[in-house]
Amino acid sequence: MLRASLSFAPGRWSSHPRARHEYVCCVADPRVRRARWERPLRGIWCSDGSGQSLRRTLMVPVVYSMTVSLDGFIAGLGDDIGWTAPDPELMRFHNEQTRDLGAHVCGRRLYQTMLVWETAEQTMSDETDLEFARIWRPIPKVVFSRTLNSVEGNASLATGDIATEIGRLRDRPGGGAVAIGGAGIAAAAIAEDLVDEYRQFVRPIVLGDGTPYFPRLDRALDLRLVESRIFGSQVVYLRYQRVR
C-alpha cells in the first residue's frame, strides 16, 4: 500500500494539481522505492490495499527544452542557430540533463542535425562533447518525417500521431523524461497540451525574426516557475511546469 502527502483515496487516480510537486513514499512496492522522486510526476496510481499490483506508478513528464533568444526565437532567419552553441559550463549542464532522458521525439530537420553525434569520435576531440555523444546515442528516438524512409542509430520513424507516439513512449519500461525537440513537433504537442515542462536557455541576444519557441495559441497556458539559474555566459535557464 502507498502512503502519500495528498488527500485522495487509495485506488483512485489523482488529478490534484499538487500531485506534481508532493511526491509519494512507497512502503511496499520495490519498484517505487527505486524511483527518483525529484522528477515531476504527471500523476500517481495507488494500489487499493488488496495486494494487487500497481497499474501505474509514474507517468513520466514530457519536456520541451530549447535555447531561445531574448525575444523568443529558437532559430534566426534562414534557420540560423550559430548563436546557440554552448560554452563548456553549459555543455556539462546539458549532459547532466540528457542523462535523465528516456526518449526523444523530433522532426526530420533536428534528427539530421543531431546525426553528427553518431560519429562524434571521428570528428571531435573535446571530452565534454564526446561525453554528450555517449549519453545521446543510446536514447530511443522517434522521428516524424514525410520524406525519410529509414533512420540511423537508436531511432525509428513515427507511425502514429504525436499523442499516440508520446503515449507509447510513456508506457515503455525504464522511465526517464520524454523530450521533444524542434518547433514543429513541439507545436503539435503543445496544441494537444501534452507538454509538462517548458525549459528555456535564454541567451542575451535579440533576433527580431525567426522560428519562435511557442506556436500561436488559441488559449493561455498557465505555468509555474520551478527552477532558474544564471550561467557564466549570461545564459539564463528557466524551467516551468504546466499548471493544470
Side-chain angles (χ1 to χ4, degrees):
M1 189 171 180
L2 299 181
R3 181 178 299 169
S5 59
L6 307 175
S7 55
F8 60 89
R12 299 291 300 278
W13 176 266
S14 172
S15 59
H16 193 293
R18 292 182 65 192
R20 297 177 53 76
H21 304 288
E22 297 189 13
Y23 301 144
V24 181
C25 174
C26 176
V27 297
D29 193 299
R31 292 172 300 165
V32 183
R33 286 200 296 271
R34 290 197 298 266
R36 295 183 58 184
W37 297 115
E38 69 269 21
R39 290 176 179 167
L41 305 182
R42 174 98 185 250
I44 47 183
W45 180 279
C46 294
S47 69
D48 59 7
S50 64
Q52 297 179 355
S53 337
L54 297 178
R55 289 180 58 188
R56 174 80 64 196
T57 303
L58 293 176
M59 185 176 286
V60 298
V62 175
V63 175
Y64 176 35
S65 178
M66 298 291 288
T67 298
V68 61
S69 68
L70 187 59
D71 52 344
F73 297 102
I74 62 174
L77 292 175
D79 295 324
D80 175 30
I81 58 172
W83 53 276
T84 67
D87 67 359
E89 179 193 22
L90 190 53
M91 191 66 191
R92 288 191 293 271
F93 186 77
H94 285 317
N95 287 356
E96 290 308 308
Q97 288 204 321
T98 306
R99 289 184 200 278
D100 287 335
L101 298 184
H104 192 271
V105 181
C106 64
R108 175 192 58 79
R109 186 174 300 171
L110 182 58
Y111 160 74
Q112 291 177 329
T113 299
M114 298 298 287
L115 280 176
V116 65
W117 300 106
E118 296 295 325
T119 55
E121 287 77 7
Q122 301 173 25
T123 59
M124 303 178 190
S125 58
D126 182 84
E127 180 53 36
T128 305
D129 290 340
L130 295 175
E131 180 186 19
F132 177 82
R134 291 191 293 268
I135 298 167
W136 172 256
R137 284 194 294 256
I139 296 172
K141 304 164 189 74
V142 174
V143 182
F144 281 82
S145 174
R146 297 185 181 92
T147 58
L148 294 177
N149 295 317
S150 62
V151 286
E152 302 175 28
N154 193 16
S156 60
L157 288 169
T159 58
D161 59 19
I162 187 68
T164 300
E165 294 294 344
I166 286 178
R168 289 172 182 164
L169 292 172
R170 276 180 156 160
D171 287 340
R172 79 202 183 289
V178 177
I180 294 178
I185 297 302
I190 293 169
E192 299 198 37
D193 201 13
L194 298 172
V195 180
D196 301 303
E197 285 198 13
Y198 293 88
R199 301 177 184 179
Q200 295 186 338
F201 293 85
V202 184
R203 284 193 170 272
I205 185 173
V206 176
L207 298 179
D209 200 356
T211 304
Y213 177 90
F214 281 106
R216 187 178 297 276
L217 301 172
D218 58 8
R219 67 188 186 284
L221 296 176
D222 291 328
L223 306 176
R224 178 185 294 107
L225 180 65
V226 294
E227 185 180 357
S228 63
R229 174 173 173 176
I230 301 176
F231 292 89
S233 58
Q234 298 185 338
V235 170
V236 179
Y237 170 62
L238 302 171
R239 180 166 70 94
Y240 293 91
Q241 288 179 346
R242 178 76 168 96
V243 177
R244 293 184 173 90

